[in-house]
Short mmCIF file of all heavy atoms in Angstrom, two decimals:
data_model
loop_
_atom_site.label_atom_id
_atom_site.label_comp_id
_atom_site.label_asym_id
_atom_site.label_seq_id
_atom_site.Cartn_x
_atom_site.Cartn_y
_atom_site.Cartn_z
N ARG A 69 0.53 -2.94 -18.29
CA ARG A 69 1.12 -2.55 -17.00
C ARG A 69 2.63 -2.77 -16.92
O ARG A 69 3.13 -3.80 -17.30
CB ARG A 69 0.46 -3.32 -15.86
CG ARG A 69 -0.86 -2.77 -15.42
CD ARG A 69 -1.56 -3.65 -14.47
NE ARG A 69 -0.86 -3.69 -13.18
CZ ARG A 69 -1.29 -4.42 -12.16
NH1 ARG A 69 -2.34 -5.16 -12.29
NH2 ARG A 69 -0.66 -4.40 -11.03
N ARG A 87 5.25 -5.97 -16.64
CA ARG A 87 4.94 -6.86 -15.55
C ARG A 87 5.00 -8.30 -16.06
O ARG A 87 4.65 -8.56 -17.22
CB ARG A 87 3.54 -6.48 -15.11
CG ARG A 87 3.00 -7.13 -13.91
CD ARG A 87 1.73 -6.35 -13.53
NE ARG A 87 1.02 -7.03 -12.49
CZ ARG A 87 0.09 -7.91 -12.72
NH1 ARG A 87 -0.31 -8.19 -13.96
NH2 ARG A 87 -0.51 -8.50 -11.71
N ARG A 88 5.44 -9.23 -15.19
CA ARG A 88 5.52 -10.60 -15.71
C ARG A 88 4.17 -11.11 -16.09
O ARG A 88 3.18 -10.76 -15.44
CB ARG A 88 6.16 -11.50 -14.63
CG ARG A 88 5.24 -11.88 -13.47
CD ARG A 88 5.95 -12.72 -12.44
NE ARG A 88 5.17 -12.80 -11.24
CZ ARG A 88 4.40 -13.86 -10.90
NH1 ARG A 88 4.33 -14.91 -11.71
NH2 ARG A 88 3.72 -13.87 -9.82
N ARG A 229 11.29 -12.35 -3.02
CA ARG A 229 10.94 -11.64 -4.22
C ARG A 229 11.58 -10.27 -4.41
O ARG A 229 11.95 -9.86 -5.51
CB ARG A 229 9.42 -11.46 -4.31
CG ARG A 229 8.71 -12.81 -4.24
CD ARG A 229 7.27 -12.71 -4.59
NE ARG A 229 7.03 -12.48 -5.99
CZ ARG A 229 7.18 -13.44 -6.91
NH1 ARG A 229 7.56 -14.63 -6.57
NH2 ARG A 229 6.94 -13.14 -8.18
N HIS A 230 11.73 -9.51 -3.32
CA HIS A 230 12.21 -8.12 -3.49
C HIS A 230 13.41 -7.83 -2.59
O HIS A 230 13.53 -8.38 -1.51
CB HIS A 230 11.07 -7.14 -3.29
CG HIS A 230 10.02 -7.29 -4.38
ND1 HIS A 230 8.80 -7.85 -4.14
CD2 HIS A 230 10.09 -6.98 -5.71
CE1 HIS A 230 8.12 -7.89 -5.28
NE2 HIS A 230 8.88 -7.38 -6.22
N GLN A 244 6.97 -13.54 0.02
CA GLN A 244 5.54 -13.81 -0.06
C GLN A 244 5.34 -15.29 0.18
O GLN A 244 6.01 -16.11 -0.47
CB GLN A 244 5.05 -13.41 -1.45
CG GLN A 244 5.29 -11.94 -1.72
CD GLN A 244 5.04 -11.55 -3.18
OE1 GLN A 244 4.59 -12.35 -3.98
NE2 GLN A 244 5.28 -10.28 -3.51
N GLU A 248 0.27 -22.97 3.16
CA GLU A 248 -1.00 -22.97 3.93
C GLU A 248 -1.31 -21.59 4.49
O GLU A 248 -0.49 -20.95 5.12
CB GLU A 248 -0.87 -23.95 5.12
CG GLU A 248 -1.00 -25.40 4.75
CD GLU A 248 -2.43 -25.74 4.39
OE1 GLU A 248 -3.35 -25.24 5.06
OE2 GLU A 248 -2.61 -26.51 3.43
N ALA A 249 -2.54 -21.16 4.26
CA ALA A 249 -2.94 -19.82 4.72
C ALA A 249 -2.90 -19.71 6.24
O ALA A 249 -2.78 -18.62 6.78
CB ALA A 249 -4.35 -19.48 4.22
N SER A 250 -2.95 -20.85 6.91
CA SER A 250 -2.92 -20.79 8.37
C SER A 250 -1.52 -20.70 8.93
O SER A 250 -1.33 -20.49 10.12
CB SER A 250 -3.63 -22.03 8.93
OG SER A 250 -3.03 -23.20 8.44
N GLU A 272 3.54 -11.07 16.98
CA GLU A 272 2.62 -11.86 16.15
C GLU A 272 1.49 -11.04 15.57
O GLU A 272 1.13 -11.22 14.40
CB GLU A 272 2.05 -12.98 17.01
CG GLU A 272 1.31 -14.01 16.19
CD GLU A 272 1.08 -15.27 16.99
OE1 GLU A 272 0.64 -15.18 18.14
OE2 GLU A 272 1.34 -16.37 16.43
N ASP A 273 0.93 -10.10 16.34
CA ASP A 273 -0.16 -9.25 15.80
C ASP A 273 0.30 -8.51 14.58
O ASP A 273 -0.45 -8.28 13.62
CB ASP A 273 -0.64 -8.24 16.85
CG ASP A 273 -1.54 -8.88 17.89
OD1 ASP A 273 -1.93 -10.05 17.72
OD2 ASP A 273 -1.90 -8.18 18.86
N ARG A 279 -0.34 -10.36 6.48
CA ARG A 279 -1.09 -11.33 5.70
C ARG A 279 -0.19 -12.19 4.78
O ARG A 279 -0.52 -12.42 3.58
CB ARG A 279 -2.17 -10.69 4.86
CG ARG A 279 -3.12 -9.81 5.66
CD ARG A 279 -4.30 -10.59 6.12
NE ARG A 279 -4.74 -10.12 7.44
CZ ARG A 279 -5.79 -10.56 8.07
NH1 ARG A 279 -6.52 -11.48 7.53
NH2 ARG A 279 -6.09 -10.13 9.26
N TYR A 281 2.45 -11.59 3.16
CA TYR A 281 2.77 -11.00 1.87
C TYR A 281 3.53 -9.68 2.05
O TYR A 281 3.03 -8.78 2.74
CB TYR A 281 1.45 -10.72 1.11
CG TYR A 281 1.64 -10.29 -0.31
CD1 TYR A 281 1.46 -11.20 -1.38
CD2 TYR A 281 1.94 -8.97 -0.63
CE1 TYR A 281 1.61 -10.81 -2.67
CE2 TYR A 281 2.11 -8.59 -1.96
CZ TYR A 281 1.95 -9.51 -2.99
OH TYR A 281 2.09 -9.10 -4.28
N ILE A 300 -1.86 -6.41 0.72
CA ILE A 300 -2.94 -7.29 1.16
C ILE A 300 -3.34 -6.97 2.60
O ILE A 300 -4.51 -6.93 2.96
CB ILE A 300 -2.53 -8.77 1.04
CG1 ILE A 300 -2.31 -9.13 -0.42
CG2 ILE A 300 -3.57 -9.70 1.69
CD1 ILE A 300 -1.90 -10.54 -0.68
N ARG A 317 4.20 -0.34 12.87
CA ARG A 317 3.57 -0.40 11.53
C ARG A 317 2.51 0.64 11.43
O ARG A 317 1.99 1.15 12.42
CB ARG A 317 3.00 -1.76 11.26
CG ARG A 317 1.83 -2.12 12.15
CD ARG A 317 1.32 -3.52 11.92
NE ARG A 317 0.78 -4.06 13.16
CZ ARG A 317 -0.54 -4.28 13.35
NH1 ARG A 317 -1.40 -4.01 12.42
NH2 ARG A 317 -0.98 -4.79 14.46
N ARG A 319 -1.09 1.83 8.95
CA ARG A 319 -2.07 1.34 8.02
C ARG A 319 -2.17 2.30 6.86
O ARG A 319 -2.24 3.50 7.03
CB ARG A 319 -3.42 1.32 8.73
CG ARG A 319 -4.23 0.12 8.43
CD ARG A 319 -5.50 0.20 9.23
NE ARG A 319 -5.92 -1.11 9.69
CZ ARG A 319 -6.28 -2.09 8.85
NH1 ARG A 319 -6.24 -1.95 7.54
NH2 ARG A 319 -6.65 -3.25 9.35
N ASP A 322 -4.03 -0.48 0.51
CA ASP A 322 -3.38 -0.94 -0.73
C ASP A 322 -1.96 -0.45 -0.94
O ASP A 322 -1.48 -0.29 -2.07
CB ASP A 322 -4.24 -0.58 -1.96
CG ASP A 322 -4.02 -1.55 -3.13
OD1 ASP A 322 -4.10 -2.76 -2.90
OD2 ASP A 322 -3.75 -1.08 -4.26
N GLY A 340 -2.54 1.77 -4.56
CA GLY A 340 -3.44 1.62 -5.69
C GLY A 340 -4.73 2.38 -5.49
O GLY A 340 -5.48 2.61 -6.46
N ARG A 345 1.95 8.97 -0.10
CA ARG A 345 2.13 9.61 1.20
C ARG A 345 3.55 9.53 1.66
O ARG A 345 4.33 8.72 1.19
CB ARG A 345 1.24 8.92 2.25
CG ARG A 345 -0.22 9.30 2.01
CD ARG A 345 -1.18 8.51 2.81
NE ARG A 345 -2.46 8.64 2.15
CZ ARG A 345 -3.53 9.20 2.73
NH1 ARG A 345 -3.52 9.59 3.96
NH2 ARG A 345 -4.66 9.34 2.04
N ARG A 356 -0.28 13.11 3.19
CA ARG A 356 -0.58 12.99 1.77
C ARG A 356 0.34 13.91 0.95
O ARG A 356 0.60 15.04 1.32
CB ARG A 356 -2.03 13.44 1.51
CG ARG A 356 -2.46 13.39 0.07
CD ARG A 356 -3.77 14.08 -0.08
NE ARG A 356 -4.86 13.32 0.50
CZ ARG A 356 -5.51 12.36 -0.12
NH1 ARG A 356 -5.16 12.02 -1.34
NH2 ARG A 356 -6.47 11.70 0.47
N GLY A 359 -1.64 17.12 -3.98
CA GLY A 359 -3.06 17.25 -3.73
C GLY A 359 -3.87 16.78 -4.88
O GLY A 359 -4.89 16.12 -4.73
N ARG A 364 -4.88 11.20 -8.99
CA ARG A 364 -5.67 10.73 -10.13
C ARG A 364 -5.17 9.39 -10.66
O ARG A 364 -5.75 8.82 -11.57
CB ARG A 364 -5.63 11.75 -11.28
CG ARG A 364 -6.32 13.05 -10.94
CD ARG A 364 -6.74 13.78 -12.22
NE ARG A 364 -5.65 13.79 -13.20
CZ ARG A 364 -4.79 14.80 -13.32
NH1 ARG A 364 -4.88 15.83 -12.56
NH2 ARG A 364 -3.85 14.73 -14.25
N TRP A 367 -1.34 3.71 -8.40
CA TRP A 367 0.13 3.45 -8.39
C TRP A 367 0.39 1.96 -8.31
O TRP A 367 -0.12 1.28 -7.42
CB TRP A 367 0.77 4.27 -7.27
CG TRP A 367 0.58 5.70 -7.52
CD1 TRP A 367 -0.41 6.50 -7.01
CD2 TRP A 367 1.26 6.53 -8.48
NE1 TRP A 367 -0.37 7.76 -7.57
CE2 TRP A 367 0.66 7.77 -8.49
CE3 TRP A 367 2.35 6.29 -9.35
CZ2 TRP A 367 1.12 8.83 -9.27
CZ3 TRP A 367 2.78 7.32 -10.13
CH2 TRP A 367 2.18 8.59 -10.10
N ASN A 369 3.09 -1.54 -8.33
CA ASN A 369 3.83 -2.15 -7.23
C ASN A 369 5.05 -1.43 -6.71
O ASN A 369 5.35 -1.47 -5.51
CB ASN A 369 4.29 -3.56 -7.61
CG ASN A 369 3.11 -4.49 -7.88
OD1 ASN A 369 3.30 -5.54 -8.48
ND2 ASN A 369 1.92 -4.15 -7.45
N SER B 296 -10.33 1.76 11.39
CA SER B 296 -8.98 1.41 11.02
C SER B 296 -7.92 2.01 11.92
O SER B 296 -6.75 1.71 11.77
CB SER B 296 -8.69 1.88 9.57
OG SER B 296 -9.22 0.92 8.64
N TYR B 299 -5.61 -0.18 15.41
CA TYR B 299 -5.77 -1.62 15.20
C TYR B 299 -7.12 -2.09 15.74
O TYR B 299 -7.26 -3.21 16.23
CB TYR B 299 -4.63 -2.40 15.88
CG TYR B 299 -3.28 -1.83 15.53
CD1 TYR B 299 -2.39 -1.47 16.51
CD2 TYR B 299 -2.93 -1.66 14.20
CE1 TYR B 299 -1.15 -0.95 16.16
CE2 TYR B 299 -1.73 -1.13 13.86
CZ TYR B 299 -0.83 -0.77 14.84
OH TYR B 299 0.37 -0.25 14.50
N GLU B 302 -8.57 -5.12 13.74
CA GLU B 302 -7.96 -6.39 14.14
C GLU B 302 -8.44 -6.87 15.48
O GLU B 302 -8.46 -8.06 15.75
CB GLU B 302 -6.45 -6.24 14.17
CG GLU B 302 -5.77 -6.03 12.81
CD GLU B 302 -5.71 -4.56 12.40
OE1 GLU B 302 -6.51 -3.75 12.92
OE2 GLU B 302 -4.84 -4.24 11.57
N HIS B 306 -10.82 -11.82 14.65
CA HIS B 306 -9.51 -12.25 14.14
C HIS B 306 -9.69 -13.48 13.29
O HIS B 306 -9.48 -14.61 13.69
CB HIS B 306 -8.58 -12.56 15.33
CG HIS B 306 -7.17 -12.55 14.92
ND1 HIS B 306 -6.37 -11.42 14.90
CD2 HIS B 306 -6.32 -13.55 14.52
CE1 HIS B 306 -5.16 -11.73 14.50
NE2 HIS B 306 -5.11 -13.01 14.27
N ARG B 310 -4.54 -17.44 11.77
CA ARG B 310 -3.29 -18.05 11.32
C ARG B 310 -2.49 -18.53 12.50
O ARG B 310 -2.49 -17.90 13.55
CB ARG B 310 -2.49 -17.02 10.53
CG ARG B 310 -2.74 -17.04 9.04
CD ARG B 310 -1.99 -15.92 8.36
NE ARG B 310 -2.55 -14.66 8.75
CZ ARG B 310 -3.64 -14.13 8.22
NH1 ARG B 310 -4.28 -14.75 7.29
NH2 ARG B 310 -4.11 -12.98 8.62
N ASN B 311 -1.80 -19.65 12.26
CA ASN B 311 -0.85 -20.14 13.27
C ASN B 311 -1.54 -20.35 14.65
O ASN B 311 -0.90 -20.15 15.68
CB ASN B 311 0.32 -19.16 13.39
CG ASN B 311 1.57 -19.80 13.94
OD1 ASN B 311 1.65 -21.05 13.94
ND2 ASN B 311 2.47 -19.02 14.39
N ARG B 316 -3.98 -20.07 20.93
CA ARG B 316 -2.85 -19.86 21.83
C ARG B 316 -3.06 -18.67 22.72
O ARG B 316 -2.76 -18.70 23.95
CB ARG B 316 -1.54 -19.72 21.07
CG ARG B 316 -1.01 -21.06 20.52
CD ARG B 316 0.33 -20.91 19.82
NE ARG B 316 0.21 -20.12 18.60
CZ ARG B 316 0.71 -18.92 18.43
NH1 ARG B 316 1.37 -18.33 19.38
NH2 ARG B 316 0.54 -18.30 17.30
N SER B 338 -2.44 -9.73 22.92
CA SER B 338 -2.53 -10.03 21.51
C SER B 338 -3.94 -9.71 20.96
O SER B 338 -4.94 -10.07 21.55
CB SER B 338 -2.25 -11.52 21.28
OG SER B 338 -2.84 -11.97 20.10
N ALA B 339 -3.97 -9.00 19.84
CA ALA B 339 -5.26 -8.62 19.25
C ALA B 339 -6.08 -9.87 18.94
O ALA B 339 -7.30 -9.85 19.01
CB ALA B 339 -5.01 -7.83 17.96
N ALA B 340 -5.38 -10.98 18.66
CA ALA B 340 -6.08 -12.21 18.34
C ALA B 340 -7.00 -12.65 19.48
O ALA B 340 -8.01 -13.29 19.26
CB ALA B 340 -5.07 -13.33 18.00
N PRO B 408 -9.75 15.87 -2.97
CA PRO B 408 -9.03 14.60 -2.94
C PRO B 408 -9.46 13.70 -1.78
O PRO B 408 -9.48 12.48 -1.94
CB PRO B 408 -7.57 15.04 -2.79
CG PRO B 408 -7.51 16.41 -3.27
CD PRO B 408 -8.85 17.04 -2.99
N GLU B 412 -10.91 10.09 -2.16
CA GLU B 412 -10.30 8.94 -1.52
C GLU B 412 -11.33 8.16 -0.72
O GLU B 412 -11.36 6.92 -0.78
CB GLU B 412 -9.18 9.34 -0.58
CG GLU B 412 -8.47 8.11 -0.02
CD GLU B 412 -7.45 8.39 1.07
OE1 GLU B 412 -6.86 9.46 1.05
OE2 GLU B 412 -7.34 7.53 1.97
N THR B 415 -13.31 6.19 -3.19
CA THR B 415 -12.48 5.12 -3.69
C THR B 415 -12.35 3.99 -2.67
O THR B 415 -12.48 2.80 -2.99
CB THR B 415 -11.05 5.63 -4.06
OG1 THR B 415 -11.22 6.73 -4.92
CG2 THR B 415 -10.24 4.58 -4.72
N ARG B 416 -12.13 4.39 -1.41
CA ARG B 416 -11.99 3.37 -0.34
C ARG B 416 -13.27 2.62 -0.15
O ARG B 416 -13.25 1.40 0.05
CB ARG B 416 -11.56 4.07 0.95
CG ARG B 416 -10.17 4.70 0.91
CD ARG B 416 -9.08 3.70 1.24
NE ARG B 416 -9.29 3.06 2.52
CZ ARG B 416 -8.93 3.57 3.68
NH1 ARG B 416 -8.28 4.72 3.74
NH2 ARG B 416 -9.17 2.93 4.80
N THR B 419 -13.63 0.23 -2.96
CA THR B 419 -12.64 -0.85 -2.72
C THR B 419 -13.16 -1.81 -1.66
O THR B 419 -13.09 -3.02 -1.84
CB THR B 419 -11.31 -0.25 -2.30
OG1 THR B 419 -10.87 0.67 -3.30
CG2 THR B 419 -10.26 -1.34 -2.15
N ARG B 445 -12.48 -28.24 3.88
CA ARG B 445 -11.82 -27.84 5.12
C ARG B 445 -12.86 -27.16 6.02
O ARG B 445 -12.88 -25.92 6.09
CB ARG B 445 -10.67 -26.87 4.78
CG ARG B 445 -9.64 -27.43 3.80
CD ARG B 445 -8.64 -28.32 4.47
NE ARG B 445 -7.81 -27.65 5.44
CZ ARG B 445 -6.71 -26.99 5.14
NH1 ARG B 445 -6.29 -26.91 3.90
NH2 ARG B 445 -5.98 -26.40 6.09
N ILE B 542 -10.98 5.40 -9.57
CA ILE B 542 -10.15 4.32 -10.07
C ILE B 542 -9.68 3.50 -8.90
O ILE B 542 -9.31 4.00 -7.84
CB ILE B 542 -8.95 4.84 -10.89
CG1 ILE B 542 -8.40 6.13 -10.27
CG2 ILE B 542 -9.33 5.05 -12.30
CD1 ILE B 542 -7.13 6.63 -10.92
N GLY B 544 -7.22 0.61 -7.45
CA GLY B 544 -6.00 -0.14 -7.67
C GLY B 544 -6.05 -1.37 -6.80
O GLY B 544 -6.57 -1.37 -5.72
N PHE B 545 -5.46 -2.42 -7.31
CA PHE B 545 -5.47 -3.67 -6.52
C PHE B 545 -4.08 -4.27 -6.48
O PHE B 545 -3.86 -5.34 -6.94
CB PHE B 545 -6.51 -4.65 -7.10
CG PHE B 545 -7.85 -4.41 -6.53
CD1 PHE B 545 -8.89 -4.06 -7.35
CD2 PHE B 545 -8.09 -4.57 -5.18
CE1 PHE B 545 -10.16 -3.84 -6.82
CE2 PHE B 545 -9.35 -4.38 -4.64
CZ PHE B 545 -10.40 -4.00 -5.46
N ASN B 546 -3.13 -3.51 -5.90
CA ASN B 546 -1.87 -4.13 -5.59
C ASN B 546 -2.11 -5.35 -4.70
O ASN B 546 -1.39 -6.30 -4.71
CB ASN B 546 -0.93 -3.14 -4.90
CG ASN B 546 -0.48 -2.04 -5.85
OD1 ASN B 546 -0.14 -2.33 -6.98
ND2 ASN B 546 -0.46 -0.83 -5.37
N SER B 547 -3.16 -5.23 -3.86
CA SER B 547 -3.46 -6.28 -2.92
C SER B 547 -3.81 -7.57 -3.63
O SER B 547 -3.54 -8.65 -3.14
CB SER B 547 -4.64 -5.85 -2.04
OG SER B 547 -5.74 -5.54 -2.85
N ASP B 549 -3.27 -8.40 -7.17
CA ASP B 549 -2.43 -8.95 -8.24
C ASP B 549 -1.02 -8.44 -8.12
O ASP B 549 -0.36 -8.14 -9.08
CB ASP B 549 -3.01 -8.61 -9.60
CG ASP B 549 -3.22 -7.12 -9.75
OD1 ASP B 549 -2.77 -6.38 -8.87
OD2 ASP B 549 -3.82 -6.70 -10.75
N GLY B 550 -0.59 -8.30 -6.91
CA GLY B 550 0.78 -7.83 -6.66
C GLY B 550 1.79 -8.86 -7.17
O GLY B 550 1.41 -9.86 -7.75
N ASP B 551 3.05 -8.56 -6.99
CA ASP B 551 4.08 -9.44 -7.56
C ASP B 551 5.29 -9.44 -6.68
O ASP B 551 5.43 -8.68 -5.79
CB ASP B 551 4.39 -8.94 -8.94
CG ASP B 551 4.89 -10.09 -9.80
OD1 ASP B 551 5.34 -11.09 -9.22
OD2 ASP B 551 4.79 -10.00 -11.01
#
Side-chain angles (χ1 to χ4, degrees):
Chain A
R69 279 172 69 181
R87 187 167 170 269
R88 76 182 167 101
R229 304 190 73 75
H230 294 107
Q244 300 170 4
E248 282 288 321
S250 55
E272 191 165 47
D273 282 352
R279 304 269 145 176
Y281 188 100
I300 295 181
R317 67 184 149 110
R319 221 179 216 296
D322 206 51
R345 286 169 199 242
R356 179 192 289 276
R364 294 203 313 266
W367 298 96
N369 297 163
Chain B
S296 278
Y299 312 126
E302 291 88 337
H306 198 86
R310 268 176 292 279
N311 203 16
R316 283 183 294 111
S338 157
E412 185 189 328
T415 307
R416 293 275 303 276
T419 303
R445 304 279 296 274
I542 37 174
F545 274 116
N546 289 319
S547 57
D549 55 9
D551 207 337

